[in-house]
Amino acid sequence: MNDVNLKSPTQEIVVDEVFPHAPETIWKTLTSGALMARWLMEPHGFSPVQGTHFTYQTKPAGEWDGTIHCEVLEVVPNERFVYAWKGGHESNKGYGSRLDTVVAFTLTRVPEGTRLRLVHSGFVTPTNDTAFHNMREGWRKVVPNLGNFTDGVH
């Protein structure tokens, strides 16, 4: 297989954290709409089922109305959760430019609890550089705090 990328170069955000919780607990925090609303944003129309389309709403920018369109791409309970993350508008520069990315969470049981690895990939350089930098900082803040939203999850 040839790995030559004929498109624009892309970047990915990677955040790796270990939580003192079982994978099942972290999984529920990642895949419960009510809990997602507490640590990220409220998902509209969400269900952790492959093929489900849902949205998040954030701050509008330029021609973009702030709607993030998502589709659940992969669900392996307690192990892997992947969804498309699309938004922005072609006419925008910087924040709010067209975004067609993928968010993948991988959970691995470790002696300390659960290793959670987030990979948010597909940021096109240089078009998505502003979104990449802003979202990298955002993910670096919210992922380490995920463990704070596990209260009452069994």
Side-chain angles (χ1 to χ4, degrees):
M1 180 170 195
N2 191 343
D3 287 335
V4 174
N5 185 354
L6 300 177
K7 295 185 201 176
S8 298
T10 61
Q11 301 181 82
E12 63 183 26
I13 298 164
V14 178
V15 181
D16 202 279
E17 290 289 329
V18 174
F19 297 97
H21 306 287
E24 296 79 8
T25 299
I26 298 299
W27 177 260
K28 286 179 185 173
T29 305
L30 292 174
T31 61
S32 159
L35 291 173
M36 290 165 76
R38 292 178 61 200
W39 67 267
L40 185 59
M41 290 180 276
E42 181 180 358
H44 302 280
F46 175 76
S47 179
V49 175
Q50 187 173 342
T52 299
H53 291 262
F54 67 99
T55 61
Y56 292 117
Q57 187 65 45
T58 191
K59 180 180 149 192
E63 294 294 316
W64 178 47
D65 65 2
T67 303
I68 301 163
H69 298 273
C70 301
E71 179 184 356
V72 177
L73 302 174
E74 184 180 350
V75 179
V76 180
N78 306 315
E79 293 180 18
R80 192 160 160 82
F81 178 52
V82 182
Y83 57 91
W85 176 295
K86 300 178 183 187
H89 194 275
E90 302 82 26
S91 69
N92 288 353
K93 300 270 189 252
Y95 177 77
S97 63
R98 172 66 67 198
L99 198 63
D100 188 352
T101 60
V102 173
V103 176
F105 295 97
T106 303
L107 288 75
T108 307
R109 187 179 299 275
V110 294
E112 303 90 336
T114 301
R115 176 176 303 279
L116 173 65
R117 181 176 172 86
L118 159 88
V119 179
H120 190 161
S121 60
F123 293 90
V124 177
T125 302
T127 309
N128 298 144
D129 285 356
T130 301
F132 173 80
H133 292 295
N134 291 345
M135 294 177 80
R136 179 177 59 189
E137 294 311 307
W139 283 123
R140 286 178 175 174
K141 288 177 185 168
V142 299
V143 172
N145 290 318
L146 254 168
N148 296 334
F149 299 101
T150 59
D151 293 346
V153 174
H154 301 290

